[in-house]
Amino acid sequence: MTRYVYKDYMDINEDIDQNRKDYAFGTPTFLSAEQYQSIFFNGYDTSNPVVCRLFDQMKKKKVSSFLIQYFLAYVALYSDPDWMYENMFNIYEIDKELFLEAVDQMPCAALNGMTPKELDEQVSKYEEYMKKKEEIPRQGNAHLSEKEVKKFYRYYFSLLDYTNKKFKVKPAMEINPYGSVDPQKLIDVIEVFWENKDTIIAEYLKKSPLKLSPRGMRSIEAFKDGIRDGFVLVQYEKEYAIFMNEEHVFMVKGLHVNIDEVIDPMSLPTIVTTALIPYEGHIVYDSVLQTMPIGIGPNTAKTFEKEMEKFPKLYTLKKRELN
């Protein structure tokens, strides 16, 4: 279906652009073909009865077409309706209550086609959202220490570097275990690693490129018990984020920061793809949380919470616990 967006008009484009920046609305509101045609030919939406009553009254009061054009320009700019009334229409004895109600329902170019009424509704929803967000308890100590994180990345990046060289996933890339790498750029390598993790880890431990201590070797061997899959991130507790699949509930720690700083608590539950890895007596994720653009309604959210209660909470990953 063809959709039309409210168009700028007259010689006020620069003012409209500035007002759009001031109100920070970048997404246009799409109008129906009928609304677009009505505004194009008449200057206003003739399908809106309140707006029609206002313009009928303007005609009866013999408001000049010149003044009406300026009025439409001010509406497009999202100007103060009280100012417009007092300075333009008060002398015509236009019904002020009708005037304010109509202006509130007229699309504004400065708001990318949104009406002032719709703007107020959006602001109200946003304020309600922020209030709820502020009321949500935040996580406490729900991530690893800086020392633990550095060691984790050294192990994981070394495994990924070995994987990359073995399978030539990204031949031009070198993954420095001691350096800083954006994990998002490693997703292709990560997927190959988890598809072949047992073989890769066995070979890696034989060659031991980092010359690790026995404890370090055991930490890397534990990666064999890791899982890369799709999970539902259900909710946050003080010290853990709760991930769930069809059979298990996993209590997961963040790396540098708490996971509630990575994924907004207000967006939970949400579906993510990641790797859960046993490390230093905890379950951590591999620093890559790929979210899916799928909205989960309140009924489905309650279902997830009920399902979560059926399974014991796992604080570490061992194959015997997953069988």
Side-chain angles (χ1 to χ4, degrees), residues 7-19:
K7 294 289 186 180
D8 304 339
Y9 57 93
M10 297 184 68
D11 55 351
I12 55 174
N13 287 348
E14 289 185 6
D15 293 328
I16 287 174
D17 288 341
Q18 183 57 51
N19 283 7

Side-chain angles (χ1 to χ4, degrees), residues 99-269:
F99 178 86
L100 296 176
E101 185 182 3
V103 171
D104 204 35
Q105 298 179 32
M106 295 178 70
C108 299
L111 302 180
N112 280 330
M114 188 180 293
T115 68
K117 182 179 180 180
E118 290 169 337
L119 172 63
D120 290 342
E121 290 170 353
Q122 290 293 325
V123 170
S124 178
K125 287 179 182 178
Y126 176 75
E127 289 174 347
E128 183 180 351
Y129 167 85
M130 292 304 296
K131 183 179 178 182
K132 287 181 179 178
K133 185 175 180 179
E134 289 170 2
E135 291 172 352
I136 294 176
R138 304 300 295 197
Q139 289 188 291
N141 180 28
H143 62 87
L144 301 182
S145 69
E146 191 65 28
K147 182 179 179 181
E148 290 172 325
V149 171
K150 286 182 179 178
K151 196 160 53 171
F152 171 81
Y153 277 126
R154 187 162 76 248
Y155 296 162
Y156 195 36
F157 285 170
S158 182
L159 280 168
L160 294 179
D161 186 53
Y162 183 87
T163 302
N164 191 39
K165 289 174 179 175
K166 176 179 174 65
F167 291 91
K168 298 179 174 56
V169 185
K170 293 189 172 184
M173 175 183 284
E174 182 172 348
I175 304 169
N176 183 357
Y178 298 94
S180 177
V181 185
D182 180 1
Q184 294 290 338
K185 296 179 180 179
L186 302 178
I187 289 176
D188 291 344
V189 182
I190 287 170
E191 289 178 349
V192 172
F193 168 73
W194 287 101
E195 288 168 2
N196 303 274
K197 64 182 172 68
D198 289 349
T199 301
I200 291 170
I201 291 172
E203 291 180 6
Y204 179 93
L205 291 173
K206 286 180 182 178
K207 296 182 179 180
S208 188
L210 289 183
K211 308 300 180 188
L212 296 172
S213 66
R215 181 177 177 179
M217 301 283 273
R218 288 194 297 272
S219 292
I220 285 184
E221 188 169 20
F223 277 50
K224 289 182 179 180
D225 292 332
I227 308 165
R228 179 168 170 79
D229 200 357
F231 302 91
V232 179
L233 175 51
V234 185
Q235 60 185 225
Y236 295 120
E237 289 189 353
K238 193 74 174 174
E239 296 189 7
Y240 298 93
I242 301 178
F243 289 70
M244 184 178 76
N245 63 11
E246 294 178 352
E247 298 178 318
H248 301 96
V249 171
F250 306 92
M251 309 300 288
V252 182
K253 289 279 192 182
L255 294 172
H256 284 291
V257 297
N258 297 337
I259 298 176
D260 71 349
E261 295 182 38
V262 180
I263 294 183
D264 190 336
M266 291 291 288
S267 67
L268 301 190

Side-chain angles (χ1 to χ4, degrees), residues 256-303:
H256 284 291
V257 297
N258 297 337
I259 298 176
D260 71 349
E261 295 182 38
V262 180
I263 294 183
D264 190 336
M266 291 291 288
S267 67
L268 301 190
T270 189
I271 298 172
V272 300
T273 298
T274 191
L276 300 184
I277 303 170
Y279 180 69
E280 297 290 331
H282 302 294
I283 302 173
V284 299
Y285 75 106
D286 71 345
S287 77
V288 179
L289 283 170
Q290 296 170 276
T291 57
M292 297 183 66
I294 299 175
I296 295 177
N299 291 334
T300 306
K302 289 178 182 177
T303 301

Side-chain angles (χ1 to χ4, degrees), residues 58-71:
M58 286 182 179
K59 291 174 185 175
K60 290 178 182 177
K61 299 288 185 177
K62 299 188 180 336
V63 177
S64 69
S65 59
F66 176 79
L67 186 59
I68 289 175
Q69 286 301 311
Y70 266 91
F71 163 66

Side-chain angles (χ1 to χ4, degrees), residues 89 98 214:
F89 296 103
L98 173 62

